[in-house]
Amino acid sequence: MKIKLLLLATFIFSLVSYGQNVNVTGTVTEASSGQPLPGVNVILKNTSRGASTDFDGNFTLNDVPLNSVLVISYIGFQTQEVTVINNQPLNIMLQEDAESLSEVVVIGYGTQTKKELTGAVSVVSSETIETLKPTRIEQALQGQVAGVNIVSNSGSPGAASTISIRGISTNGDNRPLILVDGTVVEDLSVINPNDIETVNVLKDATAGIYGVRAANGVILITTKSGRKSMPLTVEYNVYGGVQETTRELPLLNATEYALLLNEASAANGDPLPYPDVSGLGKGTDWQGQVFENAPIFSNAITLKGGGEKSTYAYGSSFLTQDGIVGGNKAKFSRLTKRGSYSLDFLDNFKLSAGITWTHTVRRTLPETGIGSVLFNAINMAPNLGPNDAANNLGFEVVNPNAQIRNTFNRGLVDKLNGNINLSYNFLEHFTAQASYQFNYAQVKGRTFSPLADYGIRGTVDKVFDLLERNSVVETKNFFRDYTFDAFIKYENSFNDLHNVNVLLGTSVFKSTGSFSGFVGQGLPSNYVGDARVENADVIQNLFPNVDTRFDARLLSYFARLQYDFDGKYLLSAVIRRDGSSKFGPENKFGYFPSGSLGWIASDEAFLENSTFLNFLKFRASYGILGNDRIGDFRFVSVLDGEGAYVFNDILTFGTTPGAIANPEIKWEKQKTLDFGVDMRFWDNRFDITVDYFKRRTEDLLVAPPVSGILGASAPASGSPFINAGIVENKGWEFSIGYTEQFGNDARLSIKYNITTIDNNVISVSDSGDFIPGGAFGIGQDAPARMEAGQPIGYFRGFKTNGIFQNQAQVDSSPILNNNTQPGDLIFVDINGDGVIDDDDRTNIGDPIPDATMGLNLTFDYKNFDFGAYAFASLGNDIVRNYERNLPLTNRTVQYLNRWRGEGTSNSFPRVTTGATNNTLFSDFYVEDGSFVRLQNVQLGYSLSQETAEKWGLSKLRFYISASNLFTLTEYSGYDPTASTGEPIGGGIDYGFYPNPRTYLLGMNLKF
């Protein structure tokens, strides 16, 4: 009877216990260091109720039933479950979870833990991206990843950037392969930076698993997704702000301009154009006319969560940004919607899928080079009024205000990309996986050119004049591609010492598309709303008698072996066979092997008890990667040229063979070597990574200049591609990070990286040819070259040695021609033959930096957070090519230091309206492009966890930030970071649209 009563009492007590609710408090810390962990998720199991730890690792969860289970999870740590048995505070210590970390480091067709990596891989987290607030993801890589350099093609809204990893390795396409959740993406504008979880950069031979498209490195982007057993989480991020130019060039005002022009006219014996300059004053500030403060606004919402066997995520964002030149005439807007879903059908059968739609609208103004808005603002005479015509200022220079009013360019892009993946586990150690990724893009463009007269009325004296018939150009282009990957993976461990991972697979890629366009002339009105091709009197096809479709394909087979012994000795080996439709039948396929080794020395007995060194790993890798990035079907003659024929005395237009074919072209090969070491010490406060790399590209696919007799200069023709040339890059990467926790309230993190690169062209061809590139002035030879013994794209011109001070000095020196007078630049006789000619042109500059550096600082104190990011480029040169150098165009104030007589100047030549050699390309126009830029500064404040919970929120943070705050440089142009990004011809400033300084006010909300 007593036993029965005891059981009954126990049963009743249990019922009472289950019916009681308590308030649960606790602290979550890192087991290895004892430091508190902020932002840890504490969820009541099988419910949507939960909380997050504050900065001190504390959490509170009210009204929790006794015997409930709490699920504590945090990225990078093992998930724990704790049963609530009373209301006593909980002390929870989380252990690092290598398996969880492996989900972050994607290496290609799989993942690895950071500890197991044998290649040079860098990671940029979502926290870093959130701090920088980039409009394009490229901006978040600059200065964050050693060896990655970003060149801005323009600072205008929506403009792309050129990414290079460990230098320029080929004269052609240097773009790295970019994958977003496994889907190949050619243009990063389709990605909303708010959607990104991590960015992994593969920089060495380990990228070879991706084959031909990975020759220039790989950027792997993983977007945010839900997790299993995760309640619905909503994140809302919004910011707004204003943009402005970082500088205006110091130009001559109207009085200075008139005095200089009088002097130039007198030097040539011409009448003075301004006998009285007293009433001219400062005149028109043309840069002030075109620059303006421009708004920028972005908001983004993300929903994510998951059930026991599924995860889901949805994101939507909208960005709108006006230009600092032209305002809404240079406006960019982007609407992005993204969704992803995964489901475990069975314990061994999984499905995941994702899709992203991006809609962009971009209005543009002429941005770069002769005829651009800024080019005209720099060269426009300051004595002219804001609405005056630019008479007698040269064929290209027009009033930039009128140019902006009469420019109507709009591009509209709709892009859809997605993926679907199936994974099946069988026979305990095998996994079969198949994935399909696709991209579709429709690109529409419309350019309306209204009737306009920019110069002398009624006379076609300007390049933009359109006096008889206005016109409109409409284009519509389609791009489609898909990738199908299928592979089988075997994973097993033997005797707890041998761990093996074998991968066998195949990949198919196909890219197709077409181009179309029409031009209409003679529209019914000068109103942009009527600008449609169908309204024109005359309609012409932009591509008559030409097949504008393209079709490129790849077929690949690959195998990879990953092996480690006792978790300390690591091996990875890859062999890939790639076939490309870019090459003929004899050279279509190539074999590309790569391998890497690693040794975790800190796990050895002689180091495992070290109290100072926490981690030490040595790495080495070598591999050969192929590159096929040339035009389609260059190994055969294709009828895509433009031909003119006479039939019955009538001129008839048709087709003819296009670019000259070469059936012998084959794969460009890149041989990549890397040695690296990773270290962590002093209780993991310090981490250091050092790499030495050498990349040698052989059998370059180049199109050298050929004789016009061969037909290469005919319309739509061109030089044949050949395999010739070797380019070598070598250098060092060094990264160091330091993190320190000061008590419970403050945390400091400092990260620094530096990369040095030595670029050298070993050869171009057996005959010693060179490949020219870029442009300078009007009608001059190309200023850049690819030539043996020099860096790729080096600047070739005359070297100067001051200014001729008197006629005797002119008479006793080698000169170019009889135009040379005192006050002109002295060209150096390089070969000493007593004559200045083309043989005296030499290397006068290198656009490739000797070193790039990044410095990142974050400091958190209680609810405040501060971050600052800086980037530096050292040793690169820039060509100043934004001055028209005509007699009546304006100049910079540097010409106030011009030569005016013997001894007055030895740096800036005389001015004259007559012929002079001073405008020839020389080192007078080459400047040091080194700079240090404070890329971003941000200060934020987060509500305390208690206050946020009272409002039903998980997080509420407000912040202010400034991007591109200042740049320290000796370069006299707008922006030392701007470039075309071309391997041959980059680093020439044609009057680039500068990157704006941006001030933002924003909010991060999570519930």
Side-chain angles (χ1 to χ4, degrees), residues 547-566:
D547 187 356
T548 61
R549 295 172 297 177
F550 67 88
D551 187 330
R553 308 183 185 198
L554 293 169
L555 173 62
S556 305
Y557 306 94
F558 52 87
R560 179 176 64 195
L561 168 65
Q562 292 171 304
Y563 169 78
D564 75 72
F565 175 77
D566 199 20

Side-chain angles (χ1 to χ4, degrees), residues 247 249 880 882 927 969-976 989:
R247 71 172 306 192
L249 301 188
R880 187 180 73 252
Y882 47 76
E927 299 186 24
T969 182
E970 294 184 356
Y971 179 58
S972 61
Y974 282 118
D975 192 338
D989 186 351

Side-chain angles (χ1 to χ4, degrees), residues 49 423 468 532 827 840:
R49 293 184 56 202
S423 177
E468 296 181 358
R532 298 288 188 276
F827 294 143
D840 294 305

